[in-house]
Amino acid sequence: MTKAKTLLSAARLRTLPLSISGIIVGSAIAFSEGFFNGYILVFALLTTVGLQVLSNFANDYGDGVKGTDNEERVGPVRALQSGIISDKEMLIAMVITTLVTLISASVLIYISFKDTNLGLSLFFFLLGVAAVLAAIKYTVGNTAYGYRGLGDLFVFIFFGLVSVLGSYFLYTIQINFYVLFPAVTVGLLSVGVLNLNNMRDFESDRRASKNTLVVKIGLEKAKKYHITILVIAMISSITYLLLTFNHAVNLFFLLSYIPIILHLNRVLTNKDPKLLDPELKRLALSTFLFALLFLASYNIFL
């Protein structure tokens, strides 16, 4: 495999639908309230994709230099693990991705606020910098929070709250408390994907002293935790539905619960965490399906 193909593989394009789900949901609510700006949508998606690719590169780099990615790891071989990409080359890819992402974020902020609100512009730029740092520090460095069981918290904040609430605010320049409920849904579903990953990698992470939440609490409690957060995720979006219901078509997004419930059953009956690998893709795509159906549920008749 060439270096270019290896880097493309390290970008893990299959994770992108999950990463943009929050943008779709936040945008859907803004659209339903009469706010639409195609430029905001495009640059919000580009910025989010950049952050996700950066996170994937950083994860590959951090786990690679620490030796966490080894022959015991279940899942595809990483770029550094394969030896095709050096740690220096991955660092260069991370720097380039960071610069492109921050440029995209700056354009997004300018489109939203122009030069009329410097305070909000600065706040969102600092939020973008924080997102970049969070993407990098998950596995990189001696203080990597992913090695201390804090990955779930950061995923919930940035994939859920920041993504949904932030994108909604960029369109509307206003706060809507109800938006918190679908933001919690996307955040917890995203945490579920990370939890599956950590359950799958439980043995290799434990041996490498990568103290994820799963390593800290054990597999049985991790399974109960997984079921709990996904149930809360579904309840949260139902709460939003009850608060905003005005047409039967608003029920449409509930169809996305079908694959999630089937997924929960498979996790509940699982005996070997290594066999959970296919469930990562299924839950990620179920989250993306939720976002698309949510968009249709509140905008199909506009």
Side-chain angles (χ1 to χ4, degrees), residues 6 18 20 42 49 54 74 80 83-85 93 99 101 120 127 164 166 183 190 197 200 218 220 226 250 266 269 276:
T6 303
L18 176 66
I20 66 174
V42 169
V49 167
L54 174 61
V74 179
L80 261 69
I84 298 174
I85 299 293
L99 291 174
T101 301
L120 283 174
L127 193 61
V164 177
S190 300
N197 180 83
R200 180 199 67 184
E220 283 306 310
H226 189 79
N250 297 153
R266 287 190 294 269
T269 57
L276 290 173

PDB file of all heavy atoms in Angstrom, residues 6 18 20 42 49 54 74 80 83-85 93 99 101 120 127 164 166 183 190 197 200 218 220 226 250 266 269 276:
ATOM      1  N   THR A   6      -2.315   4.843   2.513  1.00  0.00           N
ATOM      2  CA  THR A   6      -2.242   4.570   3.954  1.00  0.00           C
ATOM      3  C   THR A   6      -2.755   5.762   4.752  1.00  0.00           C
ATOM      4  O   THR A   6      -3.486   5.601   5.743  1.00  0.00           O
ATOM      5  CB  THR A   6      -0.795   4.252   4.369  1.00  0.00           C
ATOM      6  OG1 THR A   6      -0.321   3.133   3.604  1.00  0.00           O
ATOM      7  CG2 THR A   6      -0.721   3.909   5.851  1.00  0.00           C
ATOM      8  N   LEU A  18     -20.780   9.822  11.220  1.00  0.00           N
ATOM      9  CA  LEU A  18     -21.058  10.057  12.633  1.00  0.00           C
ATOM     10  C   LEU A  18     -20.680  11.478  13.024  1.00  0.00           C
ATOM     11  O   LEU A  18     -21.425  12.161  13.723  1.00  0.00           O
ATOM     12  CB  LEU A  18     -20.289   9.058  13.501  1.00  0.00           C
ATOM     13  CG  LEU A  18     -20.408   9.251  15.017  1.00  0.00           C
ATOM     14  CD1 LEU A  18     -21.838   8.991  15.476  1.00  0.00           C
ATOM     15  CD2 LEU A  18     -19.431   8.324  15.751  1.00  0.00           C
ATOM     16  N   ILE A  20     -20.580  14.236  11.326  1.00  0.00           N
ATOM     17  CA  ILE A  20     -21.415  15.328  10.799  1.00  0.00           C
ATOM     18  C   ILE A  20     -22.870  15.228  11.247  1.00  0.00           C
ATOM     19  O   ILE A  20     -23.681  16.106  10.926  1.00  0.00           O
ATOM     20  CB  ILE A  20     -21.348  15.408   9.264  1.00  0.00           C
ATOM     21  CG1 ILE A  20     -21.965  14.172   8.612  1.00  0.00           C
ATOM     22  CG2 ILE A  20     -19.914  15.624   8.799  1.00  0.00           C
ATOM     23  CD1 ILE A  20     -22.060  14.257   7.105  1.00  0.00           C
ATOM     24  N   VAL A  42     -22.120  24.429   4.487  1.00  0.00           N
ATOM     25  CA  VAL A  42     -20.935  23.861   3.833  1.00  0.00           C
ATOM     26  C   VAL A  42     -19.704  23.971   4.724  1.00  0.00           C
ATOM     27  O   VAL A  42     -18.979  22.987   4.931  1.00  0.00           O
ATOM     28  CB  VAL A  42     -20.680  24.550   2.480  1.00  0.00           C
ATOM     29  CG1 VAL A  42     -19.308  24.164   1.934  1.00  0.00           C
ATOM     30  CG2 VAL A  42     -21.766  24.169   1.483  1.00  0.00           C
ATOM     31  N   VAL A  49     -15.574  17.827   9.452  1.00  0.00           N
ATOM     32  CA  VAL A  49     -14.818  16.756   8.794  1.00  0.00           C
ATOM     33  C   VAL A  49     -13.325  16.918   9.082  1.00  0.00           C
ATOM     34  O   VAL A  49     -12.623  15.940   9.372  1.00  0.00           O
ATOM     35  CB  VAL A  49     -15.080  16.762   7.272  1.00  0.00           C
ATOM     36  CG1 VAL A  49     -14.068  15.875   6.548  1.00  0.00           C
ATOM     37  CG2 VAL A  49     -16.498  16.274   6.984  1.00  0.00           C
ATOM     38  N   LEU A  54      -8.505  15.024  11.735  1.00  0.00           N
ATOM     39  CA  LEU A  54      -7.415  15.352  12.656  1.00  0.00           C
ATOM     40  C   LEU A  54      -7.430  14.412  13.856  1.00  0.00           C
ATOM     41  O   LEU A  54      -6.380  13.914  14.287  1.00  0.00           O
ATOM     42  CB  LEU A  54      -7.539  16.801  13.127  1.00  0.00           C
ATOM     43  CG  LEU A  54      -6.546  17.252  14.210  1.00  0.00           C
ATOM     44  CD1 LEU A  54      -5.113  17.142  13.700  1.00  0.00           C
ATOM     45  CD2 LEU A  54      -6.860  18.683  14.651  1.00  0.00           C
ATOM     46  N   VAL A  74      -7.718  -5.498  17.873  1.00  0.00           N
ATOM     47  CA  VAL A  74      -8.699  -6.096  16.981  1.00  0.00           C
ATOM     48  C   VAL A  74      -9.016  -5.096  15.893  1.00  0.00           C
ATOM     49  O   VAL A  74      -9.134  -4.644  15.746  1.00  0.00           O
ATOM     50  CB  VAL A  74      -9.993  -6.434  17.728  1.00  0.00           C
ATOM     51  CG1 VAL A  74     -11.049  -7.036  16.791  1.00  0.00           C
ATOM     52  CG2 VAL A  74      -9.693  -7.391  18.845  1.00  0.00           C
ATOM     53  N   LEU A  80       0.771   4.026  11.530  1.00  0.00           N
ATOM     54  CA  LEU A  80       2.074   3.896  12.184  1.00  0.00           C
ATOM     55  C   LEU A  80       2.369   2.436  12.510  1.00  0.00           C
ATOM     56  O   LEU A  80       3.514   1.982  12.398  1.00  0.00           O
ATOM     57  CB  LEU A  80       2.122   4.738  13.465  1.00  0.00           C
ATOM     58  CG  LEU A  80       2.813   6.106  13.334  1.00  0.00           C
ATOM     59  CD1 LEU A  80       1.984   7.036  12.465  1.00  0.00           C
ATOM     60  CD2 LEU A  80       3.033   6.737  14.695  1.00  0.00           C
ATOM     61  N   GLY A  83       3.974   0.632   9.678  1.00  0.00           N
ATOM     62  CA  GLY A  83       5.330   1.004   9.326  1.00  0.00           C
ATOM     63  C   GLY A  83       5.441   1.755   8.013  1.00  0.00           C
ATOM     64  O   GLY A  83       6.513   2.238   7.638  1.00  0.00           O
ATOM     65  N   ILE A  84       4.327   1.893   7.300  1.00  0.00           N
ATOM     66  CA  ILE A  84       4.350   2.595   6.005  1.00  0.00           C
ATOM     67  C   ILE A  84       4.476   4.098   6.208  1.00  0.00           C
ATOM     68  O   ILE A  84       5.135   4.803   5.438  1.00  0.00           O
ATOM     69  CB  ILE A  84       3.078   2.253   5.194  1.00  0.00           C
ATOM     70  CG1 ILE A  84       3.039   0.759   4.894  1.00  0.00           C
ATOM     71  CG2 ILE A  84       3.028   3.065   3.895  1.00  0.00           C
ATOM     72  CD1 ILE A  84       1.767   0.292   4.216  1.00  0.00           C
ATOM     73  N   ILE A  85       3.837   4.612   7.275  1.00  0.00           N
ATOM     74  CA  ILE A  85       3.909   6.031   7.614  1.00  0.00           C
ATOM     75  C   ILE A  85       4.731   6.192   8.896  1.00  0.00           C
ATOM     76  O   ILE A  85       4.484   5.501   9.886  1.00  0.00           O
ATOM     77  CB  ILE A  85       2.497   6.622   7.835  1.00  0.00           C
ATOM     78  CG1 ILE A  85       1.658   6.501   6.566  1.00  0.00           C
ATOM     79  CG2 ILE A  85       2.571   8.077   8.282  1.00  0.00           C
ATOM     80  CD1 ILE A  85       2.143   7.337   5.416  1.00  0.00           C
ATOM     81  N   ALA A  93       1.085  15.542   8.641  1.00  0.00           N
ATOM     82  CA  ALA A  93      -0.320  15.434   8.213  1.00  0.00           C
ATOM     83  C   ALA A  93      -1.244  16.086   9.230  1.00  0.00           C
ATOM     84  O   ALA A  93      -2.229  16.754   8.860  1.00  0.00           O
ATOM     85  CB  ALA A  93      -0.691  13.964   8.029  1.00  0.00           C
ATOM     86  N   LEU A  99      -4.282  23.304  10.220  1.00  0.00           N
ATOM     87  CA  LEU A  99      -4.316  24.609   9.551  1.00  0.00           C
ATOM     88  C   LEU A  99      -5.542  24.728   8.649  1.00  0.00           C
ATOM     89  O   LEU A  99      -6.242  25.748   8.665  1.00  0.00           O
ATOM     90  CB  LEU A  99      -3.036  24.813   8.738  1.00  0.00           C
ATOM     91  CG  LEU A  99      -1.754  24.995   9.558  1.00  0.00           C
ATOM     92  CD1 LEU A  99      -0.530  25.045   8.630  1.00  0.00           C
ATOM     93  CD2 LEU A  99      -1.831  26.244  10.407  1.00  0.00           C
ATOM     94  N   THR A 101      -8.334  23.106   8.877  1.00  0.00           N
ATOM     95  CA  THR A 101      -9.538  23.124   9.715  1.00  0.00           C
ATOM     96  C   THR A 101      -9.762  24.495  10.342  1.00  0.00           C
ATOM     97  O   THR A 101     -10.890  25.002  10.376  1.00  0.00           O
ATOM     98  CB  THR A 101      -9.433  22.048  10.815  1.00  0.00           C
ATOM     99  OG1 THR A 101      -9.268  20.768  10.213  1.00  0.00           O
ATOM    100  CG2 THR A 101     -10.688  22.040  11.681  1.00  0.00           C
ATOM    101  N   LEU A 120     -18.567  37.379  19.977  1.00  0.00           N
ATOM    102  CA  LEU A 120     -19.004  36.040  19.595  1.00  0.00           C
ATOM    103  C   LEU A 120     -18.017  35.394  18.631  1.00  0.00           C
ATOM    104  O   LEU A 120     -17.769  34.185  18.699  1.00  0.00           O
ATOM    105  CB  LEU A 120     -20.399  36.104  18.957  1.00  0.00           C
ATOM    106  CG  LEU A 120     -21.578  36.271  19.920  1.00  0.00           C
ATOM    107  CD1 LEU A 120     -22.876  36.464  19.153  1.00  0.00           C
ATOM    108  CD2 LEU A 120     -21.690  35.064  20.852  1.00  0.00           C
ATOM    109  N   LEU A 127     -13.454  28.325  20.690  1.00  0.00           N
ATOM    110  CA  LEU A 127     -14.128  27.028  20.746  1.00  0.00           C
ATOM    111  C   LEU A 127     -13.546  26.094  19.685  1.00  0.00           C
ATOM    112  O   LEU A 127     -13.348  24.899  19.932  1.00  0.00           O
ATOM    113  CB  LEU A 127     -15.628  27.214  20.527  1.00  0.00           C
ATOM    114  CG  LEU A 127     -16.548  26.034  20.846  1.00  0.00           C
ATOM    115  CD1 LEU A 127     -16.444  25.651  22.315  1.00  0.00           C
ATOM    116  CD2 LEU A 127     -17.996  26.390  20.495  1.00  0.00           C
ATOM    117  N   VAL A 164     -24.292  20.301  17.853  1.00  0.00           N
ATOM    118  CA  VAL A 164     -25.704  20.618  17.620  1.00  0.00           C
ATOM    119  C   VAL A 164     -26.035  22.045  18.050  1.00  0.00           C
ATOM    120  O   VAL A 164     -26.561  22.843  17.268  1.00  0.00           O
ATOM    121  CB  VAL A 164     -26.622  19.617  18.357  1.00  0.00           C
ATOM    122  CG1 VAL A 164     -28.090  19.996  18.163  1.00  0.00           C
ATOM    123  CG2 VAL A 164     -26.373  18.200  17.852  1.00  0.00           C
ATOM    124  N   GLY A 166     -23.967  24.482  18.787  1.00  0.00           N
ATOM    125  CA  GLY A 166     -23.114  25.448  18.095  1.00  0.00           C
ATOM    126  C   GLY A 166     -23.580  25.727  16.693  1.00  0.00           C
ATOM    127  O   GLY A 166     -23.655  26.897  16.268  1.00  0.00           O
ATOM    128  N   ALA A 183     -29.379  17.455  21.073  1.00  0.00           N
ATOM    129  CA  ALA A 183     -27.927  17.512  21.246  1.00  0.00           C
ATOM    130  C   ALA A 183     -27.466  16.389  22.175  1.00  0.00           C
ATOM    131  O   ALA A 183     -26.432  15.744  21.931  1.00  0.00           O
ATOM    132  CB  ALA A 183     -27.515  18.871  21.815  1.00  0.00           C
ATOM    133  N   SER A 190     -22.979   9.043  20.066  1.00  0.00           N
ATOM    134  CA  SER A 190     -21.553   9.099  19.711  1.00  0.00           C
ATOM    135  C   SER A 190     -20.696   8.466  20.801  1.00  0.00           C
ATOM    136  O   SER A 190     -19.726   7.747  20.518  1.00  0.00           O
ATOM    137  CB  SER A 190     -21.126  10.551  19.479  1.00  0.00           C
ATOM    138  OG  SER A 190     -21.877  11.149  18.431  1.00  0.00           O
ATOM    139  N   ASN A 197     -16.013   0.704  20.846  1.00  0.00           N
ATOM    140  CA  ASN A 197     -14.605   0.606  20.468  1.00  0.00           C
ATOM    141  C   ASN A 197     -13.755   0.176  21.668  1.00  0.00           C
ATOM    142  O   ASN A 197     -12.880  -0.689  21.560  1.00  0.00           O
ATOM    143  CB  ASN A 197     -14.122   1.951  19.932  1.00  0.00           C
ATOM    144  CG  ASN A 197     -12.671   1.936  19.514  1.00  0.00           C
ATOM    145  OD1 ASN A 197     -12.334   1.513  18.405  1.00  0.00           O
ATOM    146  ND2 ASN A 197     -11.793   2.390  20.396  1.00  0.00           N
ATOM    147  N   ARG A 200     -14.445  -3.453  22.653  1.00  0.00           N
ATOM    148  CA  ARG A 200     -13.742  -4.346  21.719  1.00  0.00           C
ATOM    149  C   ARG A 200     -12.260  -4.456  22.061  1.00  0.00           C
ATOM    150  O   ARG A 200     -11.663  -5.529  22.012  1.00  0.00           O
ATOM    151  CB  ARG A 200     -13.922  -3.825  20.295  1.00  0.00           C
ATOM    152  CG  ARG A 200     -13.252  -4.661  19.217  1.00  0.00           C
ATOM    153  CD  ARG A 200     -13.084  -3.857  17.953  1.00  0.00           C
ATOM    154  NE  ARG A 200     -12.136  -2.763  18.137  1.00  0.00           N
ATOM    155  CZ  ARG A 200     -11.859  -1.847  17.206  1.00  0.00           C
ATOM    156  NH1 ARG A 200     -12.487  -1.883  16.042  1.00  0.00           N
ATOM    157  NH2 ARG A 200     -10.990  -0.883  17.446  1.00  0.00           N
ATOM    158  N   GLY A 218     -14.765  -2.217  33.916  1.00  0.00           N
ATOM    159  CA  GLY A 218     -14.932  -3.615  33.549  1.00  0.00           C
ATOM    160  C   GLY A 218     -15.992  -3.814  32.484  1.00  0.00           C
ATOM    161  O   GLY A 218     -16.852  -2.950  32.256  1.00  0.00           O
ATOM    162  N   GLU A 220     -18.635  -5.952  32.128  1.00  0.00           N
ATOM    163  CA  GLU A 220     -20.051  -6.111  32.470  1.00  0.00           C
ATOM    164  C   GLU A 220     -20.713  -4.763  32.763  1.00  0.00           C
ATOM    165  O   GLU A 220     -21.814  -4.482  32.295  1.00  0.00           O
ATOM    166  CB  GLU A 220     -20.211  -7.058  33.665  1.00  0.00           C
ATOM    167  CG  GLU A 220     -20.044  -8.515  33.305  1.00  0.00           C
ATOM    168  CD  GLU A 220     -20.965  -8.948  32.172  1.00  0.00           C
ATOM    169  OE1 GLU A 220     -22.188  -8.667  32.246  1.00  0.00           O
ATOM    170  OE2 GLU A 220     -20.478  -9.549  31.207  1.00  0.00           O
ATOM    171  N   HIS A 226     -23.536   1.093  28.439  1.00  0.00           N
ATOM    172  CA  HIS A 226     -23.863   1.259  27.022  1.00  0.00           C
ATOM    173  C   HIS A 226     -25.375   1.280  26.812  1.00  0.00           C
ATOM    174  O   HIS A 226     -25.909   2.152  26.117  1.00  0.00           O
ATOM    175  CB  HIS A 226     -23.241   0.113  26.224  1.00  0.00           C
ATOM    176  CG  HIS A 226     -23.336   0.289  24.747  1.00  0.00           C
ATOM    177  ND1 HIS A 226     -22.495   1.110  24.034  1.00  0.00           N
ATOM    178  CD2 HIS A 226     -24.193  -0.252  23.838  1.00  0.00           C
ATOM    179  CE1 HIS A 226     -22.818   1.066  22.755  1.00  0.00           C
ATOM    180  NE2 HIS A 226     -23.840   0.243  22.612  1.00  0.00           N
ATOM    181  N   ASN A 250     -43.478  14.625  12.129  1.00  0.00           N
ATOM    182  CA  ASN A 250     -42.426  14.778  13.145  1.00  0.00           C
ATOM    183  C   ASN A 250     -42.038  13.437  13.764  1.00  0.00           C
ATOM    184  O   ASN A 250     -40.956  13.327  14.348  1.00  0.00           O
ATOM    185  CB  ASN A 250     -42.870  15.718  14.253  1.00  0.00           C
ATOM    186  CG  ASN A 250     -43.138  17.137  13.798  1.00  0.00           C
ATOM    187  OD1 ASN A 250     -43.923  17.855  14.398  1.00  0.00           O
ATOM    188  ND2 ASN A 250     -42.488  17.572  12.715  1.00  0.00           N
ATOM    189  N   ARG A 266     -28.165  -7.062  20.456  1.00  0.00           N
ATOM    190  CA  ARG A 266     -26.939  -7.786  20.127  1.00  0.00           C
ATOM    191  C   ARG A 266     -25.857  -7.536  21.184  1.00  0.00           C
ATOM    192  O   ARG A 266     -25.096  -8.452  21.530  1.00  0.00           O
ATOM    193  CB  ARG A 266     -26.436  -7.380  18.738  1.00  0.00           C
ATOM    194  CG  ARG A 266     -27.286  -7.938  17.596  1.00  0.00           C
ATOM    195  CD  ARG A 266     -26.638  -7.733  16.257  1.00  0.00           C
ATOM    196  NE  ARG A 266     -26.539  -6.323  15.886  1.00  0.00           N
ATOM    197  CZ  ARG A 266     -27.452  -5.660  15.199  1.00  0.00           C
ATOM    198  NH1 ARG A 266     -28.566  -6.275  14.804  1.00  0.00           N
ATOM    199  NH2 ARG A 266     -27.285  -4.391  14.893  1.00  0.00           N
ATOM    200  N   THR A 269     -26.633  -9.549  24.417  1.00  0.00           N
ATOM    201  CA  THR A 269     -26.412 -10.997  24.341  1.00  0.00           C
ATOM    202  C   THR A 269     -24.972 -11.355  23.973  1.00  0.00           C
ATOM    203  O   THR A 269     -24.637 -12.540  23.891  1.00  0.00           O
ATOM    204  CB  THR A 269     -27.364 -11.631  23.312  1.00  0.00           C
ATOM    205  OG1 THR A 269     -27.176 -10.998  22.029  1.00  0.00           O
ATOM    206  CG2 THR A 269     -28.814 -11.455  23.739  1.00  0.00           C
ATOM    207  N   LEU A 276     -17.740  -7.426  18.807  1.00  0.00           N
ATOM    208  CA  LEU A 276     -18.516  -6.186  18.740  1.00  0.00           C
ATOM    209  C   LEU A 276     -18.034  -5.258  17.633  1.00  0.00           C
ATOM    210  O   LEU A 276     -18.655  -4.226  17.383  1.00  0.00           O
ATOM    211  CB  LEU A 276     -18.440  -5.444  20.080  1.00  0.00           C
ATOM    212  CG  LEU A 276     -19.185  -6.084  21.254  1.00  0.00           C
ATOM    213  CD1 LEU A 276     -18.863  -5.332  22.545  1.00  0.00           C
ATOM    214  CD2 LEU A 276     -20.690  -6.093  21.000  1.00  0.00           C
TER     215      LEU A 276
END
